[in-house]
């Protein structure tokens, strides 16, 4: 019988471990996910004001490790509101908004959830616009009874944008020729592998116009403005806080402590604790949690400020 080599012995040992079973030790490089925790930010007393952060790009999908805190997603907002809804000591909500906007869908879901919470709980909501609160960020602010903006804030950019990359020139240079089998003339609508046809641009414009009308109606309702007045400000331009004040897009200039004090006054509280929720990991127990992370897989309609051409 030929001698057993070291490699053969190693392979045999691996087979024994595989089929006989072995004890393994789990080592997590990331902190395990867990439920939301409440942190006190400031103040004192039994009653609470919830400070909710809406920052970065507003979009759907699960939270990626690389994104960290760069996005606001409906699942987190939904979970925070559900936790606040179970706490009878929450007497007011302050939205701290620092976002250029994001997808139409995610912005609308967040607005819907905050409005539903506000209606159910009957408590005041104050929005504080900080650095940039444009497009979808401003859209979400329409849930507030009062909007306060930092004196240095940029807001506005009311409108919708849809974009794609036309890769045909690049593919021609590298010798790649896409092939498509489709069931109908428009099944590859807005394909990135060729220029958009006039018909496609017209169809896309119709969708953008529909979302735009919805945005204007939300602003008119939220700011209690005549529809035509809201439409005049909704040409996509950005505004400083002083300009936004003149156009009635915000109520006053101020800072976060002003928004908190106003929320406390509107709730009729002599004193209150300001609290926020946080959670390490990626615990996502709501109906918006498991949406596929496919934000850039197809045409995207954005309530977002996008300066310059691609």
């Amino acid at each position: 019988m030929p001698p057993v080599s070291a490699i053969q012995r190693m392979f045999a040992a691996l087979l024994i471990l595989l089929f006989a079973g072995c004890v393994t030790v789990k080592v997590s490089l990331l902190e395990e996910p867990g439920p939301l925790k409440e942190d006190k930010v400031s103040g004192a007393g039994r009653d609470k004001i919830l400070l909710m952060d809406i920052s970065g790009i507003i979009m759907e999908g699960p939270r990626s490790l690389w994104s960290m805190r760069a996005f606001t997603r409906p699942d987190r907002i939904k979970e925070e509101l559900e936790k606040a809804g179970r706490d009878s000591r929450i007497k007011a909500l302050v939205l701290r908004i620092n976002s250029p906007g994001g997808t139409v869908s995610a912005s609308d879901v967040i607005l819907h959830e905050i409005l539903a919470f506000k209606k159910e709980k009957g408590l005041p909501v104050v929005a504080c616009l900080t650095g940039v609160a444009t497009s979808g960020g401003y859209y979400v602010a329409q849930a507030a009874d009062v909007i306060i903006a930092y004196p240095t804030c940029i807001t506005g950019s009311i409108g919708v944008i849809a974009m794609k990359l036309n890769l045909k020139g690049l593919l021609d240079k590298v010798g790649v020729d896409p092939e498509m089998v489709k069931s109908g003339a428009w099944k590859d609508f807005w394909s990135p592998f060729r220029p958009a046809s006039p018909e496609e641009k017209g169809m896309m414009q119709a969708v953008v116009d529909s979302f735009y009308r919805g945005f204007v109606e939300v602003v008119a309702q939220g700011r209690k403005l005549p529809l035509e007045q809201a439409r005049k400000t909704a040409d996509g331009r950005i505004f400083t806080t002083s300009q936004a004040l003149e156009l009635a897009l915000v109520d006053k200039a101020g800072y976060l402590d002003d928004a908190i004090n106003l929320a406390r006054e509107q709730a009729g509280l002599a004193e209150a604790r300001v609290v926020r929720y946080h959670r390490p990991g990626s615990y996502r127990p709501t109906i918006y949690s498991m949406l596929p992370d496919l934000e850039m897989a197809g045409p995207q309609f954005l309530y977002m400020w996008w300066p310059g051409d691609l």
Side-chain angles (χ1 to χ4, degrees):
M1 177 181 295
V4 178
S5 68
I7 294 178
Q8 289 173 316
R9 287 195 296 270
M10 185 180 299
F11 182 70
L14 288 173
L15 287 177
I16 292 172
L17 289 174
L18 178 63
F19 290 106
C22 60
V23 177
T24 61
V25 178
K26 179 182 178 182
V27 179
S28 177
L29 299 179
L30 299 174
E31 194 170 359
E32 288 296 311
L36 288 172
K37 302 294 184 182
E38 179 182 295
D39 282 340
K40 174 185 169 182
V41 178
S42 63
R46 289 174 51 85
D47 294 321
K48 306 173 187 176
I49 296 172
L50 176 60
L51 178 62
M52 177 176 286
D53 189 58
I54 298 174
S55 59
I57 298 174
I58 300 170
M59 64 196 310
E60 304 95 333
R63 182 169 176 168
S64 305
L65 292 177
W66 59 268
S67 70
M68 299 305 288
R69 296 179 63 85
F71 297 98
T72 290
R73 293 186 166 90
D75 67 309
R76 175 176 64 80
I77 301 302
K78 175 73 170 177
E79 188 180 1
E80 290 193 17
L81 292 173
E82 286 181 345
K83 182 175 178 65
R86 296 188 294 268
D87 188 345
S88 61
R89 295 183 182 178
I90 297 289
K91 302 298 185 181
L93 174 63
V94 173
L95 307 175
R96 178 174 55 192
I97 302 176
N98 186 18
S99 170
T103 67
V104 168
S105 171
S107 302
D108 190 61
V109 167
I110 291 174
L111 175 68
H112 164 76
E113 292 296 339
I114 296 173
L115 286 174
F117 172 80
K118 175 181 171 182
K119 181 178 180 180
E120 178 183 355
K121 298 288 288 184
L123 47 73
V125 178
V126 177
C128 182
L129 313 184
T130 61
V132 172
T134 53
S135 209
Y138 183 70
Y139 184 93
V140 170
Q142 303 313 301
D145 303 298
V146 179
I147 299 177
I148 294 176
Y150 279 16
T152 55
C153 176
I154 295 297
T155 189
S157 188
I158 300 170
V160 190
I161 187 171
M163 66 189 77
K164 73 165 184 172
L165 296 176
N166 180 7
L167 303 177
K168 186 177 185 307
L170 175 62
L171 297 181
D172 288 344
K173 288 182 179 179
V174 297
V176 176
D177 187 15
E179 295 182 350
M180 185 75 65
V181 177
K182 54 186 179 179
S183 59
W186 303 110
K187 193 59 181 175
D188 63 340
F189 171 78
W190 213 241
S191 169
F193 303 125
R194 54 175 174 75
S197 68
E199 292 81 7
E200 285 180 307
K201 291 180 179 179
M203 293 165 65
M204 184 62 82
Q205 187 66 57
V207 176
V208 167
D209 289 345
S210 176
F211 287 142
Y212 169 77
R213 287 192 295 271
F215 198 155
V216 173
E217 289 171 1
V218 165
V219 171
Q221 182 175 357
R223 301 303 303 152
K224 297 179 176 57
L225 297 173
L227 190 60
E228 189 57 36
Q229 182 179 342
R231 188 177 292 113
K232 287 181 179 179
T233 65
D235 60 0
R237 76 183 69 186
I238 58 173
F239 304 106
T240 64
T241 294
S242 59
Q243 291 171 329
L245 281 167
E246 293 176 0
L247 296 169
L249 296 179
V250 302
D251 294 294
K252 58 179 67 177
Y255 295 92
L256 186 57
D257 53 352
D258 297 313
I260 292 170
N261 289 334
L262 178 61
R264 178 177 52 78
E265 292 170 5
Q266 290 196 341
L269 304 176
E271 60 178 7
R273 280 180 290 156
V274 179
V275 300
R276 62 180 294 273
Y277 298 142
H278 84 282
R279 180 197 58 247
S282 55
Y283 179 67
R284 299 183 296 269
T286 73
I287 59 175
Y288 304 118
S289 302
M290 303 310 294
L291 294 174
D293 196 6
L294 297 175
E295 289 89 353
M296 301 311 295
Q300 292 297 306
F301 299 95
L302 305 175
Y303 287 153
M304 188 169 176
W305 176 32
W306 191 286
D309 294 329
L310 289 175

